[in-house]
Amino acid sequence: MDLVEVLPNRLHMLRFPIGQAYLWQDGEALTLVDAGHAEAAAEIEGAIRSLGLRPGRLERIVLTHCHRDHVGAAGELASRWGARVLAHRLDAPVIRGERPVPEPVLLDWEIPLYEHGLTVPGAPPTRVDRELEDGDALGFGDGAYVVHAPGHTDGSIGIHLPHHGVLFAGDCIAAVGPLMLGVFNVDRGRAVESFRRLAGLGPSVACFGHGDPLMVDTAPALAKAAAETPA
């Protein structure tokens, strides 16, 4: 795992071989956006300590959607340190193991990528302490709130921190190569609509589930990519 500073004393990216998570700091209070794979808890704890912070200050884990590379270590971290796990109402039953992970509608070129993604250890059933809805306040980042962004999964969300100009886009948008619609969507049409909605927020920093954060000309780049993506 690589630990990458995005905003000094505020935001770090935790990059795994497949996917990534983000650590947000409000002083010593910590929020994790997504939680890596099922075997990542020790690495995440080590990364927190390497920043001179305490894992016991992890207050919440916000999951952008129900896939294994985002949910994996959430339950273990929450059990160890008392953090609350938050996820959208529509993905919460999947995260808890009550429903199967929804199958995406794959384009031909996505099939080998999807098979590679399945090499990530499956996520264990994980409790969800709070089920989220569009517009919900999240209690960190001087006013973070939920942006429902369905299409990748039914309960996919973005997380917008308008005071800081930061957007966590989950897997709705990807930056692996060109800025693009995320892959493995259950409903491409809705995913494109969500891409456009997130782009319309005009962030100055955009963080993705796959690919490096975008920090230069972010808003116009997102707007252009969204406008050029066919439904």
Side-chain angles (χ1 to χ4, degrees):
M1 187 201 76
D2 297 323
L3 180 64
V4 181
E5 183 180 78
V6 181
L7 298 175
N9 301 314
R10 277 291 188 180
L11 177 60
H12 286 79
M13 177 175 68
L14 289 70
R15 183 164 52 204
F16 303 98
I18 295 178
Q20 49 218 26
Y22 293 89
L23 182 70
W24 180 269
Q25 299 173 232
D26 289 307
E28 292 186 354
L30 306 177
T31 296
L32 193 63
V33 176
D34 290 325
H37 58 83
E39 299 170 357
E43 290 181 293
I44 293 171
E45 291 172 3
I48 291 171
R49 290 191 175 95
S50 76
L51 295 170
L53 302 169
R54 293 187 291 121
R57 296 304 305 269
L58 183 61
E59 295 186 354
R60 65 188 65 77
I61 303 169
V62 187
L63 302 175
T64 62
H65 63 288
C66 62
H67 286 161
R68 61 179 65 190
D69 55 325
H70 295 257
V71 173
E76 183 174 350
L77 290 168
S79 296
R80 285 189 187 181
W81 305 109
R84 300 181 73 218
V85 179
L86 289 65
H88 193 273
R89 170 181 56 85
L90 295 176
D91 272 18
V94 181
I95 293 166
R96 290 193 294 258
E98 299 165 359
R99 296 181 186 170
V101 177
E103 290 293 332
V105 179
L106 297 174
L107 302 174
D108 287 346
W109 64 268
E110 293 179 320
I111 293 172
L113 294 177
Y114 186 68
E115 291 173 348
H116 180 58
L118 293 177
T119 63
V120 174
T126 298
R127 76 173 198 258
V128 176
D129 300 297
R130 179 182 170 193
E131 295 188 7
L132 302 172
E133 298 284 356
D134 186 56
D136 281 354
L138 293 171
F140 75 97
D142 301 297
Y145 70 90
V146 174
V147 184
H148 188 204
H152 184 64
T153 65
D154 290 341
S156 287
I157 61 171
I159 303 164
H160 189 208
L161 284 62
H163 182 79
H164 297 280
V166 172
L167 172 68
F168 299 97
D171 279 4
C172 181
I173 309 170
V176 181
L179 198 61
M180 61 181 285
L181 181 72
V183 295
F184 315 152
N185 298 301
V186 299
D187 186 326
R188 179 181 172 87
R190 295 184 79 195
V192 172
E193 291 175 3
S194 294
F195 188 175
R196 292 172 181 165
R197 184 184 186 196
L198 294 178
L201 297 172
S204 54
V205 177
C207 299
F208 314 107
H210 302 271
D212 290 338
L214 184 60
M215 302 179 65
V216 178
D217 296 328
T218 304
L222 285 171
K224 181 176 186 292
E228 293 176 349
T229 301

